[in-house]
Amino acid sequence: MATTADFKNGLVLRMDNQLWQIQEFQHVKPGKGPAFVRTKIKNVLSGKIVDKTFNAGVKVETATVDRRDMTYLYNDGTDFVFMDSENYEQVSVSPSTLGGGERFLLEGMKVQVAMHEGLPLYVELPVTVEVVVAQTDPGVQGDRSTGGTKPATLETGAEIQVPLFINTGDKLKVDSRDGNYLGRVNS
């Protein structure tokens, strides 16, 4: 059990037999009336994000979530297989649990897998990943109709927008949360 004073980003709450992770929270003390806590919480299994307000001091049941460092091994056709770095136990994770993160998964990548009662809840990739451009068309000087960007397919199969000077074979730094190009990596 935790009170609203114990809230922090990443805390997992158990409400209505479902697990919810706090994304954002704000303590509010209005001029009139009691204080309250405004939160934005995400359903761990479905990914749905909702706004919820708690009265200050309310007790909420928390869930124990075990975050483990794991290494991505391979895709077995349907699921993604990760190996625990400590005990070498392998865990299969469905694409829905990855929530789009599979677009930037590379074999051997270190990630954090959150587990609850032996079930994987979600996978946290590093914020930035380094990937190689598998294919992109050459940029044409003077082509500014797209704001100076062009599509590029990465070695993982993901397609992102990159500046015109990027070529096939370049190594890029990409934000794994939204797929934004961050820069080139000097090899």
Side-chain angles (χ1 to χ4, degrees):
M1 293 296 260
T3 66
T4 53
D6 300 324
F7 280 9
K8 62 184 178 203
N9 291 345
L11 182 68
V12 178
L13 309 174
R14 182 190 301 273
M15 298 184 312
D16 305 326
N17 276 342
Q18 293 184 332
L19 298 177
W20 298 85
Q21 182 181 31
I22 296 176
Q23 301 291 305
E24 298 175 16
F25 70 98
Q26 178 182 17
H27 290 275
V28 179
K29 175 66 175 110
K32 279 184 163 180
F36 59 90
V37 179
R38 190 177 295 137
T39 62
K40 188 174 285 191
I41 55 177
K42 175 181 174 184
N43 187 308
V44 172
L45 298 177
S46 71
K48 179 180 177 183
I49 296 178
V50 296
D51 293 327
K52 182 152 176 69
T53 303
F54 296 91
N55 290 330
V58 168
K59 291 190 178 195
V60 182
E61 185 179 354
T62 58
T64 54
V65 174
D66 181 23
R67 287 181 174 83
R68 299 182 190 171
D69 290 326
M70 294 195 175
T71 304
Y72 171 62
L73 296 178
Y74 60 91
N75 181 345
D76 68 4
T78 55
D79 290 342
F80 296 86
V81 180
F82 295 87
M83 180 180 66
D84 192 319
S85 301
E86 290 180 15
N87 60 13
Y88 305 108
E89 176 185 323
Q90 292 186 6
V91 176
S92 290
V93 176
S94 69
S96 62
T97 303
L98 278 166
E102 68 274 7
R103 299 179 338 155
F104 302 108
L105 268 180
L106 291 168
E107 290 183 8
M109 180 181 281
K110 305 281 187 208
V111 297
Q112 275 203 334
V113 179
M115 308 279 283
H116 175 68
E117 296 175 356
L119 292 170
L121 298 176
Y122 56 90
V123 178
E124 291 179 6
L125 271 65
V127 174
T128 60
V129 293
E130 294 181 2
V131 288
V132 175
V133 176
Q135 194 282 323
T136 187
D137 296 329
V140 179
Q141 187 63 28
D143 178 19
R144 295 289 186 256
S145 63
T146 57
T149 63
K150 61 182 180 178
T153 304
L154 305 175
E155 63 183 315
T156 60
E159 191 170 293
I160 65 168
Q161 291 293 318
V162 296
L164 294 173
F165 59 83
I166 299 297
N167 298 313
T168 300
D170 286 354
K171 192 172 195 178
L172 307 179
K173 188 178 278 193
V174 177
D175 189 327
S176 66
R177 298 168 296 188
D178 55 15
N180 285 338
Y181 164 84
L182 297 175
R184 254 194 308 203
V185 177
N186 296 330
S187 309

